[in-house]
Amino acid sequence: MNTVIKESRVTQSSLMKHKSKESFTSTAGNLTDMQQSFRDAMSKLAAAVNIITTEGPAGRAGFTASAVCSVTDEPPTLLVCLNRSASVYKFFKENMVLCVNTLGLEHKDLSGVFGGKKALEERFEQGNWSTLSTGSPVLEDASISFDCKIKLISSVGTHDILICEVLDIKHKPDCESLIYFNRDYHQLSKCKN
Ligand SMILES: NC(=O)c1ccc[n+]([C@@H]2O[C@H](COP(=O)([O-])OP(=O)(O)OC[C@H]3O[C@@H](n4cnc5c(N)ncnc54)[C@H](O)[C@@H]3O)[C@@H](O)[C@H]2O)c1
Ligand SMILES: Cc1cc2c(cc1C)N(C[C@H](O)[C@H](O)[C@H](O)COP(=O)(O)O)c1[nH]c(=O)[nH]c(=O)c1N2
């Protein structure tokens, strides 16, 4: 099936139809009140923590993401939101494949490594990695790994929304998850000890 890439840019002007221009114009480097309020609110939206990886003509890269969710199961599709200013952006845009590695309790430090604490070229020195069908790095002991082809990219403000068809899935038979909530990591486990 041909890959359909439609770039749809939602510009600042269309975002501002409900608000005056000032509320979206950050002063040099500082957040507007609305942006800070948004971040404070979003910090209370608990989310799974994932390491998103890619490998291909542009090379190998990976970053930590919590803005990941299911879209549809016809066909199985998920989305990842990626800040275009991230050093990893060009790798995903060129490779057009990725793997979503959902982290378990033991991956808190790895999340920091891929969250920017380590330079791009040092990140894969930690963790054990394999591949499924796209060649994107699969974290061996991840709770779940979704191997995907990026089918559509939509740009909104500072981020691109990567709409990804899931081609392969690897499950780890456990029941624990690393959660990011209130600007910190938490553990979720329903395993009976
Ligand atoms: N979607 C994202 O891009 C995203 C999500 C989570 C964390 N982060 C990054 O991790 C850093 C630490 O986050 P934190 O939760 O400890 O505190 P924070 O106050 O920087 O962010 C609080 C929450 O706001 C949202 N957020 C923050 N920056 C964003 C952005 N540029 N675009 C969209 N949503 C954003 C996220 O949901 C985040 O959890 C953030 O500064 C950001 O760089 C980015
Ligand atoms: C818990 C958590 C959650 C997220 C992030 C961080 C952390 C710690 N980061 C930020 C992202 O991982 C980081 O900015 C990238 O690694 C880019 O940094 P470099 O530009 O490569 O240094 C992030 N970035 C992004 O574009 N989308 C996202 O959903 C998230 N989510």
Side-chain angles (χ1 to χ4, degrees):
M1 191 162 110
N2 294 332
T3 303
V4 176
I5 308 285
K6 277 187 302 191
E7 291 234 349
S8 59
R9 288 192 70 81
V10 179
T11 59
Q12 280 290 52
S13 56
S14 58
L15 279 174
M16 287 190 288
K17 60 180 179 305
H18 302 304
K19 279 273 180 189
S20 66
K21 192 167 174 54
E22 299 73 53
S23 63
F24 282 88
T25 312
S26 312
T27 48
N30 299 322
L31 296 177
T32 63
D33 291 350
M34 183 63 183
Q35 284 174 310
Q36 189 55 58
S37 171
F38 173 74
R39 288 194 182 193
D40 292 344
M42 287 304 282
S43 72
K44 299 291 193 298
L45 204 68
V49 187
N50 311 274
I51 292 177
I52 318 295
T53 62
T54 187
E55 173 87 70
R60 186 173 65 168
F63 73 104
T64 297
S66 50
V68 176
C69 72
S70 173
V71 176
T72 176
D73 63 359
E74 294 183 13
T77 303
L78 58 79
L79 69 79
V80 177
C81 300
L82 173 54
N83 196 322
R84 286 193 301 276
S85 70
S87 66
V88 299
Y89 176 74
K90 62 180 185 289
F91 295 89
F92 288 89
K93 186 78 191 254
E94 187 174 331
N95 291 342
M96 294 303 284
V97 291
L98 61 80
C99 185
V100 174
N101 296 283
T102 303
L103 302 185
L105 309 189
E106 68 275 28
H107 298 123
K108 181 177 157 187
D109 292 342
L110 201 60
S111 173
V113 166
F114 281 80
K117 284 208 173 100
K118 286 271 185 195
L120 191 48
E121 49 284 349
E122 296 169 40
R123 291 177 188 174
F124 288 97
E125 289 168 9
Q126 302 192 33
N128 297 307
W129 304 91
S130 60
T131 57
L132 287 168
S133 46
T134 71
S136 304
V138 174
L139 181 65
E140 270 302 282
D141 57 353
S143 290
I144 316 151
S145 294
F146 301 88
D147 199 31
C148 304
K149 182 168 182 49
I150 300 173
K151 303 293 280 185
L152 183 139
I153 295 177
S154 182
S155 291
V156 179
T158 53
H159 281 57
D160 274 8
I161 303 169
L162 312 179
I163 310 287
C164 309
E165 183 175 347
V166 180
L167 305 178
D168 212 341
I169 297 175
K170 188 166 85 68
H171 294 260
K172 182 176 148 192
D174 79 345
C175 46
E176 299 172 339
S177 184
L178 188 65
I179 299 296
Y180 200 63
F181 171 70
N182 202 20
R183 298 183 169 98
D184 200 357
Y185 295 98
H186 304 269
Q187 303 186 356
L188 197 57
S189 169
K190 67 174 173 51
C191 303
K192 298 274 178 288
N193 293 329

